[in-house]
Amino acid sequence: FMAGAPSHLELFDHKPKLNELDGEAPPPSLLEGRRFAFLKGNEKLLGSTRKFDRFGQCGMTVGETMPYISKIVDEVTWLKGMTTDVFNHGPAKLFMNTGFQAPGRPSMGSWLTYGLGSESNNLPGFVVLQSGPRGPRAGNSLWASGFLPTSFQGVPFRGKGDPILYLKSPEGMNRKREREFYNTIRDLNKIRLDDVGDPEILTRINSYEMAYQMQSSAPELMDLSSESNKTLELYGAKNGEPSFANNCILARRLIERGTRFVQLYHSNWDSHGGPGETLDKDFEKVCKDVDKASAGLILDLKQRGLLEDTLVVWGGEFGRTPMAQGNGRDHHIKGFSLWMAGGGIKGGVSHGATDELGYNSVKDVVNVRDLHATLLHQFGIDYRKFSYKFQGLDFRLTGVKPANVIHPILA
């Protein structure tokens, strides 16, 4: 998850007409009745200074700041007609991750681990990895379990050392004594569970057991010394140095060990034009942070035979305006791009399009709800039937508004 919203106009959605009209006022129809986060209505159009070229057998256009992703275009489906409902970062991140713009709903990873469980007995079924200068806005609400049992919430791992603080046993406690301790706590909790029937007690029992198992599984997971130099170079990773690249390797290792859902967050993609958020040097830096590792993950999964069973989604919470905000662009919900690979998704496909200025999605429009319906479908789940009763209502990831599986992109 590219936290902060990458500009589709600099990355994947080449707009020669926008470049031609750079510095001119936008058509009044683009602004009438529209709300923006910061624009006042008198801004000018901003063409992209990035060079674009076509790559792969599919001839996909990719901007110059993504030289490695340009090499995997034939493995990827590009959704270029995306829309969302919310134009501020925190609520938009929540909508993309949970299907609702306010805290309190289960995240995608929670829904999937609730529905399918996990194949791992010694690592969490849902793991969160973060990189970049700050965490994503909305924080742990993005990977919370909401009204689902908390055993299905995401577990944030640190990028270096012990993935979770205080995972090591205290001095003087050996494995045998610790096993006896956990067994005693488990038995006491079971007595209480039988007495009151609170499902959170079961979550506590499972958490203690998972912590015990992770004391041996987590160090092995985090140690990248077993990865070859060739693999580290493929991702641009360095053993022992926290980074998005290292997190991509950890994500692959987690998938290999049976974890159901891995969420990677990288910031800062916000491009308003202020300090640290310019469309030149700052944008180039964050592209460099993720470009090689993102492509490396796809290539590594493919060469290990994992890509066909692993669904990778790359994108942010919304797009950016074709109008300038200083030396940057404002938030935009009417048109943006993301890409998907593996997990039964076609490669080398471009689905959807925005208009000649990159403002409105005008062809094969995909809302976030459609994306969620498609993700569930690829895991064998009918989004219309997959619900959880809470406070008398049947809640779904896709909510109550219409949603559609994106069938044209399915292999």
Side-chain angles (χ1 to χ4, degrees):
F1 190 88
M2 303 293 109
S7 172
H8 57 297
L9 299 170
E10 270 66 43
L11 295 178
F12 311 123
D13 205 3
H14 184 37
K15 296 298 175 184
K17 188 66 174 179
L18 179 61
N19 294 344
E20 178 186 327
L21 298 176
D22 178 58
E24 297 187 18
S29 60
L30 292 191
L31 303 178
E32 290 175 358
R34 300 294 175 87
R35 295 177 62 199
F36 300 94
F38 296 100
L39 296 187
K40 306 301 181 184
N42 57 354
E43 289 79 9
K44 307 299 183 183
L45 293 171
L46 177 66
S48 176
T49 61
R50 305 299 175 188
K51 295 179 181 178
F52 281 77
D53 207 343
R54 294 188 178 274
F55 297 91
Q57 294 182 358
C58 63
M60 194 67 61
T61 56
V62 180
E64 62 184 342
T65 57
M66 292 290 185
Y68 289 95
I69 287 178
S70 69
K71 298 176 182 178
I72 62 163
V73 293
D74 290 327
E75 305 294 339
V76 170
T77 277
W78 309 80
L79 298 180
K80 292 191 173 184
M82 286 296 303
T83 66
T84 184
D85 295 358
V86 196
F87 63 71
N88 280 325
H89 288 292
K93 286 182 174 70
L94 284 165
F95 186 52
M96 182 64 80
N97 283 272
T98 74
F100 194 67
Q101 63 195 48
R105 298 289 180 90
S107 60
M108 286 186 285
S110 298
W111 278 110
L112 280 171
T113 50
Y114 164 68
L116 299 177
S118 175
E119 296 179 354
S120 177
N121 294 319
N122 57 11
L123 288 167
F126 176 16
V127 172
V128 177
L129 301 168
Q130 302 177 65
S131 54
R134 68 179 187 218
R137 290 185 177 94
N140 59 11
S141 297
L142 301 175
W143 52 85
S145 58
F147 42 71
L148 295 177
T150 52
S151 56
F152 299 114
Q153 68 186 354
V155 179
F157 276 18
R158 301 193 305 160
K160 182 180 180 180
D162 290 337
I164 299 175
L165 292 175
Y166 313 116
L167 189 61
K168 291 181 178 178
S169 303
E171 288 191 22
M173 180 72 79
N174 59 37
R175 292 289 284 175
K176 180 176 181 296
R177 290 185 61 193
E178 196 159 19
R179 179 72 271 176
E180 292 171 349
F181 169 80
Y182 283 125
N183 288 346
T184 301
I185 295 295
R186 178 199 61 204
D187 293 343
L188 292 172
N189 278 324
K190 281 185 175 180
I191 293 172
R192 184 62 176 169
L193 177 63
D194 293 340
D195 187 31
V196 301
D198 185 351
E200 289 305 303
I201 297 175
L202 181 59
T203 294
R204 185 178 303 170
I205 293 171
N206 293 336
S207 296
Y208 273 118
E209 182 61 31
M210 179 60 68
Y212 177 78
Q213 297 296 336
M214 284 180 62
Q215 287 179 333
S216 56
S217 63
E220 185 273 335
L221 168 75
M222 302 297 292
D223 183 9
L224 301 188
S225 62
S226 61
E227 299 287 337
S228 68
N229 290 334
K230 183 178 179 181
T231 298
L232 295 175
E233 173 59 26
L234 178 65
Y235 288 82
K238 295 181 180 180
N239 190 17
E241 294 186 16
S243 64
F244 178 79
N246 279 32
N247 285 351
C248 283
I249 295 182
L250 290 175
R252 189 217 77 215
R253 292 167 67 89
L254 283 161
I255 293 299
E256 287 177 316
R257 289 156 178 77
T259 294
R260 175 68 63 189
F261 195 94
V262 185
Q263 186 89 348
L264 285 77
Y265 290 91
H266 187 76
S267 63
N268 174 28
W269 284 94
D270 214 0
S271 298
H272 290 289
E277 298 182 348
T278 63
L279 274 176
D280 42 39
K281 292 183 179 180
D282 297 316
F283 190 80
E284 290 174 6
K285 180 184 182 303
V286 73
C287 287
K288 188 175 181 180
D289 286 344
V290 306
D291 176 40
K292 188 173 186 178
S294 298
L297 176 61
I298 301 302
L299 295 172
D300 199 15
L301 289 172
K302 184 178 181 180
Q303 71 184 7
R304 295 171 188 265
L306 295 171
L307 186 59
E308 61 184 14
D309 297 316
T310 305
L311 182 57
V312 180
V313 183
W314 191 105
E317 62 266 37
F318 42 62
R320 315 301 300 201
T321 58
M323 294 81 77
Q325 184 192 355
N327 186 33
R329 303 185 188 275
D330 200 4
H331 310 168
H332 190 56
I333 66 173
K334 295 296 184 179
F336 63 103
S337 303
L338 59 77
W339 58 261
M340 307 167 67
I345 299 294
K346 290 179 180 177
V349 170
S350 180
H351 182 83
T354 56
D355 59 31
E356 62 183 1
L357 298 180
Y359 188 93
N360 284 309
S361 292
V362 294
K363 177 185 176 183
D364 295 327
V365 179
V366 174
N367 187 269
V368 169
R369 284 178 288 273
D370 303 321
L371 176 65
H372 290 164
T374 304
L375 295 179
L376 292 176
H377 178 272
Q378 293 307 93
F379 283 90
I381 296 173
D382 185 339
Y383 72 94
R384 295 162 296 188
K385 300 177 181 179
F386 186 44
S387 64
Y388 187 89
K389 188 174 288 294
F390 177 67
Q391 295 183 342
L393 299 175
D394 291 319
F395 285 87
R396 302 186 310 203
L397 171 62
T398 53
V400 297
K401 292 185 178 181
N404 298 284
V405 175
I406 317 167
H407 287 287
I409 70 171
L410 306 184

